[in-house]
Amino acid sequence: METHIPSASLHAFVETRTDFEALNRASLVRIRLSASRGSHSRPQVLSNTAGSALCNNEETFGRSYLASASSIYYSKLKSYPRSFLWRVLENNKVLEIRSNDLRKPGNLEADATIILQLLFPSAIRKGGVAWADDGGETVSVFVLTKTNDLFTLTIPNKSLYDVTCLEEESERWPTTFKPSSFTLSTPHRLVAGSPGQLVIALADGKLLNLIRKDGQDRPAWQERSFDDGHWGSSLRGLINWQGNNTIRYDGTVLDQNTAIAVDYSPSRTHLVTVCANHTLKIWNLSLDKIRNVFSMDLLGQRREPQDISKVMLDAGSPEILRVFEAEGAIIGDEYYAITYSPHGGGQFKIWAIRDADQGKLGVRFLHSDDTLRPPDPDSDPESKTVWKVTDFKMGGGVQGSSMELWLLMRSNKRYKTYSLTFDLVDLPAAWNEKWVLVATETLGLIQPPQPSVSDAQDASEIWLQFIFYPGRYTRSLLETALSIYRSARQLTSPNDAKVSLEERLSLAIMAQVKSQSVRDDADRCTLFAQYQESIQQEWSLFYQEVQDLDRLKWQPLALTFDPYSGIPCSVFAGGCAFIRGCDGVEALARNAHTALQKAPESFEVPSIEDGSRQLPQLPEELSLLIQGAAAFRRTFSATFQHECYKLLLSELWQDPVYSVADRIDNYYERCGFAEEVTDSAIDTLKETLVPLGSFEGLTSDHFLAIIDRLPNSREENGSSLVSTKLAHKVLVRGMQEVLNVHAQVLFDLLMVIVFIEVEAQEEVVSDANLNTSGVFMALSEQLKLYQLMQWLARSTWIRREEARPSHGEHASSSSSSTALESLFATAIRPQPLDRQSQSHGLTRTIQDLLVHVRGGDDASMTLDQVIVHIHCNLLTEGDTGLASDFAQFQPSTAWAVYIRGRLHLQLGEMVEAAVCFNKAAYNLVVTAAGQSSSDQNQQGDRQSLSESGKAARAYHKASAGFLTVEEAEYFANGLPKYYTHIVHLFQAASCPSYAVDFARLAIQFTPQSSELRSSLLLSLFASSLETSDIESAYTSLSRLPPKDQSRLLPEFIKALLSLPKGPGQLLDFPWPAHFHAAIDAELADTRRSWATMTGGSASSANLNRDRRMKILAAWRLRLGDFRGAAAAMYPQLQALGSQQHKGKRASSGMARSKIGGSRNGNDGMMNDNLRVDEAYLSVMNLMACIDDTGDRERKEAWLLSDADGGKRRVVTIEDVRKGWQKELDRRSVVEGGRWGFGMVGDEMDLG
């Protein structure tokens, strides 16, 4: 018998983790159940507040957020949802159910984001949750509590996205049943074969078969208990035996015959069990009296009764049995079972069941001559670490070939997951050689930040960015860590509930730093150094609290495998990990070259072959280079690595002004390679590269072959399915992991190239073999792209959205997502399952997302165009904060400069926006989006771009819809069109001053006969009026067509006369003759033109009236119309005369003024007199200038007046003179005091 212990060093798969935090609080539905015997009791739907429970320590955090038991049930129905992840929480009293599907039908808009939390009246038993379905639209959940109540709940599949279905179904919840057998024995484990068939393992070794009775509205169960049928089994139910052959589990004494693992045969006619006494038993359930038809030790050994206690199994390890089918693998076999025994060094056994009723004649071991031990997780022969098999799953395969065994092993808080692909008939050969490992995420291995003085950001800001990296830690975990940190230091919490978690965390750190004492005699530099050290120390202490909680969250509980989609999942206490295949670069980075040399056929890492290269690059050669570069980088200090990466990022996004060789030298000097790179580091790099021939054997092809493995294209999958919101979350997490691995590989390779170029160039055979400058540029371009994508993967914003909670009321909630998810992940469809399993399909989908971000299938799309496209997406979303941060990546192309101008416009930075729009003007009117004018000229397609709207479509597409089709038509169509577009932008932004500037620019390049010219003049006119630029408004008005002039003239006159210097400007403008009559009519119209000049008081109204009359008279005088000017002034004269003769109030006022000798009164009277004198003199002088020599009927000057009650009459200059004389006489009487006395206020006749 061969006793080989297999090992595995090849990492073929990798975890993609996701936590269990709800997408938003409104998606959580809590339902309280009651234990009403044999009847229905309407459940109580609670408000969804449990998701925000505040935990003060690890215990409360574990109780509220970490599961004691968890797994995933895969429904037989292939509709959505079909993957149900369940967890037991809160002291085993809450069963949480959520969807774990990554895909859904394309015609279904709703997403299964509802999380059900069922609150039971008593604790759920360990092993007391079972699921079943018959392929219909519902699943049945059976829950066994410690009060021996069996709850039955029927949950519609669509209730996880349509809560109304749940409300209807839950009215029949719950139905409870307590089997009579529980009065004699304690239940141990519950297993469901179908919605109508259950089996419960009892502590006394018996099994209880429950069959649902037909025709019942609620579950009513028929009980059938059975056991081995020996005489001792009947006594076990009556006497509590506690000898050597019993075990204690969860407070209960279990008999050695107690089934700790139970599974049904595929036909559900037989039951397969593994008992505590290390025995496999098969029971026939179809007989009238259920009986045991087969029994054998797990290892096929005969054991004496006194030896049973030595091989008793752990009752808390139910995952040691799996029943599976492999139809056609071996003719005659009905089904198979795989068991694991921890004894005998740990062994798996494959049982072939041909006819279980025939006992040992119908059941046999497959490969009985081979010992199938689990792989050894610890290769160190001196290691004392004990590893245990926690769970395993079987799946896949057709007729026994390409079957998969997934294995989870655990040692304390460490765990490893293995996979084996094999043919059932040739299992031993594969067992010993083809085990592969599942790698853990590198995101969880990233070292915490070590801020330095040279960092532009504050140390706290750097730590916050690290801790709040999307998907790294849940907010509930950080809240708990903050509470623990505060409690240990007796820090108070802000009372304001609106203070964010980030702010509260920073305040707590700063409060602790300030509380620490410092030396009073220290200088400023020392104090600052102590301050920085204290900040780093406190953040490190807080980070330790976070790590302690996070380790609790990622303790493995179960391993599951979806038989339909073929994807395994690891279920943890506080999260879930989808297991996907490694992509090409991940496989090279995670595996040593020796492991790749021995890779099984199922793990394909093809070599890179290119006709332009001499030899194909084998995977192990590329792995050597990657591993050597990583080892070289690890010899550097963390501070040096941080500085190198920071300086590299600044180097990548600067416009190159030096040669590539000079850039490499400059980078080498700025980083300080000479001081950091030691002889041991160089020796390490050389020793790693020895199989390649050290530096002499390196060629450009080695580096370029690794770059070629990066995803750069995708195939249209034609899938009718779409990704769920959970899938978007998983895709982003997987993308973060891929970006981290790829970027690290690229950075390591660039460090090697820089070192070789500066210090080891003489050891390179020739530049033809290794072109360091070319490789440096190729790596730099890739690093730019990856830094861009890493920014998308870490940048988040929060959206407010409406959500409908369980009790039917609408509520507002918020959800956060990364820019990568919102802008790109939602557009990616999942890979179809007819090409590969979902395990590899998930990796392909992540690659599709990466390719989609970098431009999709358009190979002609440059990196600059990709950057601007992303920037446009951010501007479309309206998040100016993210768009401003993203502007650091913008190239210097005209298209990018224009988009940067749009950002400044949204931020209200008008000066910067105008500069950008001006800078981009020329190239944008002649080239396509993202191209330089020189590139466009070389392609010779400038004319084609402007034809048939091609340019408009190009710009609309390049802007990701940020530019409308109408706006895009202004590009590549001449400067006037472009400047017109800019004018519209500034007008929409309520910035008329810059609209005026760009309108003038546009008009300069617009032909006289163009219709666009009139539009620009109208825009210039409107903007000029807004800025009170009257001269510009006059110029544009005078250049407009006559119909527009007549329409806009009233608006111009109104705006002009509202200014202090407006009347003077009106008279100074060189108005053409066709304007004269219109202006005169407008000035004479008191209904429109003077509305804004009329105040609320009588005095202000009089002043405005006088001003109006003077302006009209001045206008007519400008035109030489003396009669018209006099006619304009005459109403003012009449109005003043009316005030002087008004009567009671006027005479009484004068009397009081005269008698009282009031100085103010005298001054007022003198002002009135001056106004009257001015009016008379003005009218008389104007009339005196009238030339009436041609008028035979009238020999003196005259005018027409309509001021007297609306009746027109002729007024001569003599009439005016008489009126003035009368006014002078009246004043003489008043000044001499010659008026009749009477009651004050009586009107006086002074004429």
Side-chain angles (χ1 to χ4, degrees):
M1 178 182 294
E2 187 178 355
T3 59
H4 175 71
I5 300 178
S7 62
S9 58
L10 179 69
H11 293 85
F13 299 90
V14 61
E15 294 178 347
T16 300
R17 291 180 174 181
T18 178
D19 55 65
F20 287 146
E21 199 158 50
L23 296 178
N24 53 63
R25 286 185 56 193
S27 64
L28 185 63
V29 179
R30 289 174 67 88
I31 301 177
R32 186 183 299 278
L33 305 178
S34 61
S36 180
R37 302 282 188 264
S39 63
H40 300 294
S41 178
R42 185 182 179 89
Q44 180 183 2
V45 180
L46 305 177
S47 60
N48 46 0
T49 57
S52 58
L54 181 61
C55 304
N56 297 321
N57 49 52
E58 288 187 6
E59 182 181 354
T60 56
F61 175 77
R63 184 167 58 246
S64 300
Y65 295 103
L66 303 183
S68 59
S70 181
S71 189
I72 303 174
Y73 175 75
Y74 300 101
S75 171
K76 297 181 178 66
L77 186 67
K78 296 180 181 179
S79 63
Y80 175 75
R82 56 172 301 275
S83 302
F84 299 88
L85 190 149
W86 59 270
R87 305 197 298 156
V88 178
L89 302 166
E90 300 182 25
N91 291 332
N92 299 328
K93 287 190 175 183
V94 172
L95 177 65
E96 181 181 281
I97 302 172
R98 64 175 73 202
S99 169
N100 204 55
D101 292 271
L102 299 180
R103 56 186 65 208
K104 66 176 182 178
N107 57 359
L108 181 63
E109 294 184 5
D111 212 305
T113 58
I114 296 176
I115 301 172
L116 302 181
Q117 287 191 344
L118 309 177
L119 284 70
F120 288 85
S122 57
I124 301 172
R125 284 189 177 275
K126 294 181 179 180
V129 179
W131 290 68
D133 74 285
D134 54 8
E137 298 295 333
T138 62
V139 291
S140 297
V141 184
F142 306 97
V143 179
L144 190 59
T145 66
K146 287 198 171 183
T147 56
N148 293 338
D149 290 311
L150 176 63
F151 286 77
T152 303
L153 304 102
T154 301
I155 302 177
N157 290 34
K158 62 180 182 179
S159 63
L160 294 184
Y161 62 83
D162 185 2
V163 75
T164 57
C165 298
L166 182 65
E167 292 172 346
E168 296 172 359
E169 184 65 33
S170 64
E171 292 182 359
R172 296 188 289 272
W173 286 1
T175 300
T176 59
F177 176 72
K178 178 173 286 188
S180 59
S181 301
F182 290 176
T183 59
L184 298 176
S185 183
T186 303
H188 170 63
R189 188 162 303 280
L190 172 65
V191 178
S194 69
Q197 186 176 12
L198 304 176
V199 166
I200 300 175
L202 303 177
D204 60 3
K206 292 184 178 181
L207 293 168
L208 178 62
N209 189 35
L210 298 179
I211 305 297
R212 180 181 287 186
K213 296 181 180 179
D214 296 331
Q216 300 290 332
D217 293 335
R218 58 182 180 272
W221 301 92
Q222 177 183 358
E223 301 180 48
R224 297 176 65 189
S225 62
F226 54 95
D227 54 21
D228 289 337
H230 302 298
W231 65 270
S233 60
S234 60
L235 292 178
R236 285 196 298 269
L238 301 176
I239 302 175
N240 186 14
W241 298 90
Q242 298 191 27
N244 292 331
N245 292 344
T246 60
I247 55 176
R248 179 173 289 277
Y249 176 75
D250 195 23
T252 303
V253 177
L254 303 181
D255 185 83
Q256 65 174 358
N257 290 293
T258 300
I260 60 174
V262 182
D263 204 351
Y264 282 87
S265 67
S267 62
R268 296 202 295 270
T269 58
H270 290 78
L271 191 71
V272 183
T273 65
V274 172
C275 300
N277 60 3
H278 202 261
T279 303
L280 176 77
K281 296 181 180 181
I282 303 179
W283 311 79
N284 191 328
L285 301 177
S286 62
L287 302 176
D288 292 337
K289 183 178 181 181
I290 301 175
R291 64 184 180 88
N292 180 7
V293 296
F294 176 81
S295 179
M296 182 180 286
D297 181 80
L298 290 181
L299 299 179
Q301 300 180 7
R302 296 181 61 87
R303 303 185 188 277
E304 298 298 328
Q306 61 271 19
D307 297 330
I308 296 298
S309 60
K310 300 178 182 178
V311 293
M312 292 286 282
L313 299 175
D314 181 8
S317 302
E319 310 300 338
I320 58 176
L321 167 68
R322 290 289 177 263
V323 174
F324 63 96
E325 286 185 286
E327 186 177 354
I330 300 177
I331 297 176
D333 290 344
E334 184 179 356
Y335 59 95
Y336 302 88
I338 180 172
T339 60
Y340 173 74
S341 170
H343 302 289
Q347 296 184 39
F348 284 91
K349 288 292 184 180
I350 307 293
W351 308 72
I353 295 95
R354 181 162 296 191
D355 185 359
D357 294 332
Q358 297 298 318
K360 295 183 179 179
L361 297 178
V363 181
R364 71 186 190 283
F365 282 127
L366 280 184
H367 313 295
S368 57
D369 294 335
D370 295 280
T371 302
L372 306 179
R373 298 188 184 279
D376 185 8
D378 198 339
S379 58
D380 186 2
E382 298 182 0
S383 174
K384 304 298 183 181
T385 305
V386 177
W387 289 84
K388 296 175 59 177
V389 173
T390 302
D391 201 352
F392 63 89
K393 290 291 186 295
M394 292 287 298
V398 177
Q399 295 184 344
S401 62
S402 299
M403 301 195 70
E404 297 179 38
L405 173 62
W406 292 88
L407 175 64
L408 174 64
M409 300 187 70
R410 181 175 179 180
S411 175
N412 198 7
K413 294 182 179 181
R414 299 168 59 194
Y415 71 94
K416 288 188 178 182
T417 307
Y418 294 85
S419 175
L420 177 68
T421 302
F422 62 94
D423 294 340
L424 190 61
V425 297
D426 192 24
L427 175 60
W431 192 278
N432 293 327
E433 302 294 338
K434 295 184 178 182
W435 284 98
V436 295
L437 277 162
V438 178
T440 57
E441 288 184 327
T442 59
L443 291 173
L445 304 177
I446 296 177
Q447 295 299 314
Q450 299 288 333
S452 63
V453 180
S454 62
D455 289 326
Q457 293 177 301
D458 179 70
S460 293
E461 186 177 353
I462 295 174
W463 270 101
L464 286 173
Q465 290 179 356
F466 174 79
I467 290 175
F468 286 92
Y469 183 86
R472 177 163 288 160
Y473 304 113
T474 62
R475 299 192 73 84
S476 56
L477 184 146
L478 294 176
E479 289 279 9
T480 305
L482 178 57
S483 180
I484 296 173
Y485 179 85
R486 278 205 196 108
S487 299
R489 293 156 182 81
Q490 298 181 348
L491 300 175
T492 59
S493 174
N495 296 325
D496 190 358
K498 296 182 180 180
V499 180
S500 66
L501 174 58
E502 292 87 341
E503 292 176 298
R504 288 185 280 118
L505 179 53
S506 296
L507 290 173
I509 296 294
M510 296 309 299
Q512 180 61 20
V513 170
K514 291 180 180 179
S515 66
Q516 298 174 0
S517 61
V518 297
R519 291 172 49 192
D520 296 334
D521 58 342
D523 57 20
R524 291 184 178 181
C525 294
T526 304
L527 289 175
F528 182 75
Q530 291 178 353
Y531 172 76
Q532 292 290 337
E533 183 180 353
S534 298
I535 289 181
Q536 180 67 16
Q537 180 181 359
E538 292 305 320
W539 276 111
S540 300
L541 292 174
F542 173 77
Y543 178 67
Q544 188 59 50
E545 300 287 355
V546 172
Q547 285 293 87
D548 292 342
L549 293 175
D550 195 58
R551 292 189 190 96
L552 297 177
K553 194 175 76 170
W554 297 109
Q555 295 302 305
L557 297 179
L559 180 67
T560 66
F561 184 84
D562 186 352
Y564 172 65
S565 66
I567 186 168
C569 289
S570 297
V571 184
F572 301 88
C576 173
F578 293 88
I579 299 176
R580 60 173 181 84
C582 292
D583 73 359
V585 176
E586 284 183 307
L588 296 176
R590 296 179 184 276
N591 294 292
H593 72 286
T594 53
L596 291 174
Q597 288 174 336
K598 301 178 181 179
E601 298 82 4
S602 59
F603 182 70
E604 297 182 0
V605 183
S607 61
I608 299 294
E609 299 186 25
D610 192 329
S612 63
R613 298 174 187 156
Q614 298 178 355
L615 295 173
Q617 306 299 318
L618 299 177
E620 53 267 26
E621 295 179 358
L622 304 183
S623 177
L624 269 173
L625 177 56
I626 292 176
Q627 299 300 329
F632 183 60
R633 185 248 311 160
R634 284 193 291 269
T635 62
F636 303 153
S637 65
T639 302
F640 179 75
Q641 294 183 44
H642 175 70
E643 289 297 320
C644 287
Y645 193 72
K646 183 176 65 175
L647 292 174
L648 175 63
L649 298 184
S650 64
E651 168 71 22
L652 293 177
W653 299 102
Q654 291 180 358
D655 291 334
V657 294
Y658 301 103
S659 66
V660 177
D662 289 341
R663 291 175 61 189
I664 295 176
D665 290 338
N666 181 44
Y667 179 69
Y668 181 90
E669 294 294 334
R670 292 173 63 195
C671 292
F673 270 78
E675 294 78 14
E676 184 71 22
V677 179
T678 62
D679 292 340
S680 61
I682 299 174
D683 293 340
T684 299
L685 179 59
K686 287 184 176 180
E687 290 174 5
T688 308
L689 299 178
V690 165
L692 294 178
S694 192
F695 294 146
E696 296 85 349
L698 284 180
T699 66
S700 298
D701 289 349
H702 286 108
F703 293 88
L704 298 179
I706 296 173
I707 295 177
D708 287 343
R709 289 180 179 273
L710 300 173
N712 53 24
S713 64
R714 61 174 180 169
E715 298 179 3
E716 187 63 36
N717 57 43
S719 175
S720 62
L721 302 175
V722 296
S723 297
T724 63
K725 289 185 178 179
L726 174 64
H728 297 158
K729 194 176 179 181
V730 173
L731 282 178
V732 170
R733 184 68 176 183
M735 183 79 160
Q736 291 171 338
E737 173 69 12
V738 168
L739 293 177
N740 186 58
V741 173
H742 289 189
Q744 188 66 69
V745 168
L746 294 171
F747 177 72
D748 293 348
L749 294 177
L750 189 135
M751 292 295 100
V752 172
I753 281 294
V754 170
F755 172 76
I756 291 176
E757 168 66 18
V758 179
E759 292 198 14
Q761 187 65 40
E762 66 279 0
E763 299 186 38
V764 178
V765 176
S766 67
D767 290 340
N769 290 336
L770 179 57
N771 182 1
T772 54
S773 296
V775 173
F776 178 86
M777 289 304 300
L779 292 172
S780 297
E781 283 299 307
Q782 292 297 326
L783 280 169
K784 287 176 67 175
L785 177 64
Y786 274 84
Q787 188 199 5
L788 179 71
M789 291 188 288
Q790 285 178 320
W791 184 93
L792 292 172
R794 69 172 180 265
S795 300
T796 63
W797 66 75
I798 298 177
R799 289 192 179 95
R800 299 292 301 177
E801 56 187 23
E802 295 295 322
R804 186 179 187 274
S806 59
H807 38 77
E809 299 176 359
H810 288 274
S812 177
S813 62
S814 62
S815 62
S816 63
S817 62
T818 63
L820 179 65
E821 176 183 346
S822 297
L823 302 180
F824 298 99
T826 54
I828 300 298
R829 288 183 176 268
Q831 288 286 328
L833 297 178
D834 56 354
R835 299 180 183 177
Q836 70 272 308
S837 67
Q838 193 173 6
S839 179
H840 291 89
L842 179 57
T843 301
R844 288 288 303 276
T845 306
I846 293 172
Q847 292 176 330
D848 289 347
L849 176 58
L850 191 151
V851 174
H852 181 54
V853 173
R854 64 188 299 169
D857 301 324
D858 188 357
S860 63
M861 198 167 186
T862 65
L863 176 59
D864 289 346
Q865 291 172 311
V866 170
I867 293 172
V868 182
H869 190 272
I870 296 172
H871 206 184
C872 290
N873 270 306
L874 295 173
L875 291 173
T876 303
E877 290 291 333
D879 195 316
T880 55
L882 281 181
S884 299
D885 190 25
F886 185 81
Q888 61 183 304
F889 305 118
Q890 280 283 32
S892 57
T893 62
W895 176 231
V897 172
Y898 165 80
I899 295 300
R900 192 182 301 119
R902 293 294 298 265
L903 170 62
H904 289 307
L905 199 64
Q906 288 192 7
L907 294 172
E909 300 168 352
M910 302 303 172
V911 177
E912 293 81 358
V915 171
C916 290
F917 292 147
N918 257 326
K919 185 177 180 181
Y922 177 73
N923 285 334
L924 288 185
V925 302
V926 295
T927 60
Q931 285 183 309
S932 67
S933 57
S934 60
D935 293 338
Q936 189 69 11
N937 290 331
Q938 291 173 5
Q939 294 179 14
D941 59 354
R942 180 186 305 176
Q943 182 178 357
S944 64
L945 277 172
S946 299
E947 294 176 353
S948 304
K950 290 183 179 180
R953 290 193 296 271
Y955 278 101
H956 176 67
K957 179 181 178 181
S959 69
F962 179 60
L963 291 180
T964 64
V965 177
E966 293 76 13
E967 288 178 321
E969 292 177 352
Y970 290 104
F971 293 84
N973 205 6
L975 282 172
K977 283 278 190 180
Y978 172 78
Y979 284 135
T980 301
H981 168 61
I982 304 302
V983 169
H984 294 165
L985 292 179
F986 278 113
Q987 286 179 329
S990 300
C991 184
S993 59
Y994 285 104
V996 169
D997 294 341
F998 283 96
R1000 289 172 179 165
L1001 287 172
I1003 292 172
Q1004 291 178 12
F1005 298 96
T1006 307
Q1008 292 288 341
S1009 59
S1010 173
E1011 294 182 1
L1012 180 61
R1013 185 180 183 85
S1014 297
S1015 175
L1016 288 169
L1017 288 171
L1018 289 172
S1019 298
L1020 177 59
F1021 175 79
S1023 299
S1024 297
L1025 287 185
E1026 287 189 58
T1027 58
S1028 299
D1029 188 353
I1030 296 301
E1031 293 184 359
S1032 178
Y1034 166 78
T1035 303
S1036 57
L1037 179 65
S1038 62
R1039 299 161 73 181
L1040 284 168
K1043 62 177 181 179
D1044 292 326
Q1045 289 177 342
S1046 59
R1047 177 172 57 85
L1048 297 176
L1049 182 60
E1051 183 180 354
F1052 177 78
I1053 297 297
K1054 178 180 177 181
L1056 177 63
L1057 297 182
S1058 64
L1059 301 176
K1061 297 182 180 180
Q1065 290 177 296
L1066 174 66
L1067 301 178
D1068 292 339
F1069 286 139
W1071 294 100
H1074 65 275
F1075 277 103
H1076 294 172
I1079 295 175
D1080 190 282
E1082 188 64 29
L1083 293 174
D1085 188 353
T1086 60
R1087 293 170 298 176
R1088 288 189 305 172
S1089 302
W1090 308 93
T1092 59
M1093 298 174 61
T1094 303
S1097 63
S1099 60
S1100 61
N1102 292 334
L1103 291 174
N1104 287 329
R1105 181 190 61 215
D1106 294 346
R1107 184 169 180 263
R1108 173 180 63 84
M1109 293 176 179
K1110 290 180 180 180
I1111 294 172
L1112 178 58
W1115 170 255
R1116 290 175 177 176
L1117 186 60
R1118 177 185 179 276
L1119 300 178
D1121 184 6
F1122 296 102
R1123 192 189 314 278
M1129 292 294 297
Y1130 189 72
Q1132 179 189 12
L1133 180 61
Q1134 289 181 306
L1136 290 173
S1138 175
Q1139 285 184 343
Q1140 295 291 350
H1141 297 280
K1142 192 166 183 181
K1144 298 179 180 180
R1145 292 183 182 176
S1147 61
S1148 63
M1150 287 186 292
R1152 292 190 187 97
S1153 178
K1154 184 68 177 179
I1155 296 172
S1158 172
R1159 182 176 180 179
N1160 293 334
N1162 290 334
D1163 292 342
M1165 186 173 63
M1166 291 178 63
N1167 290 334
D1168 291 341
N1169 291 340
L1170 289 174
R1171 291 177 61 199
V1172 173
D1173 291 346
E1174 182 182 351
Y1176 273 109
L1177 291 174
S1178 297
V1179 173
M1180 288 188 295
N1181 288 337
L1182 289 172
M1183 293 184 73
C1185 295
I1186 298 174
D1187 184 8
D1188 285 329
T1189 57
D1191 191 347
R1192 298 180 178 180
E1193 297 182 0
R1194 297 188 180 274
K1195 302 299 183 180
E1196 58 181 342
W1198 59 273
L1199 56 83
L1200 290 176
S1201 172
D1202 56 359
D1204 295 334
K1207 296 179 181 181
R1208 298 173 65 87
R1209 68 183 183 90
V1210 177
V1211 178
T1212 65
I1213 190 172
E1214 187 61 32
D1215 295 332
V1216 178
R1217 289 171 178 166
K1218 289 180 179 180
W1220 190 31
Q1221 185 61 48
K1222 186 177 179 179
E1223 172 64 20
L1224 294 176
D1225 293 342
R1226 184 189 65 80
R1227 294 180 191 174
S1228 177
V1229 172
V1230 172
E1231 291 175 359
R1234 300 188 300 272
W1235 67 81
F1237 287 94
M1239 295 181 62
V1240 175
D1242 290 342
E1243 186 175 356
M1244 297 177 294
D1245 185 6
L1246 302 177

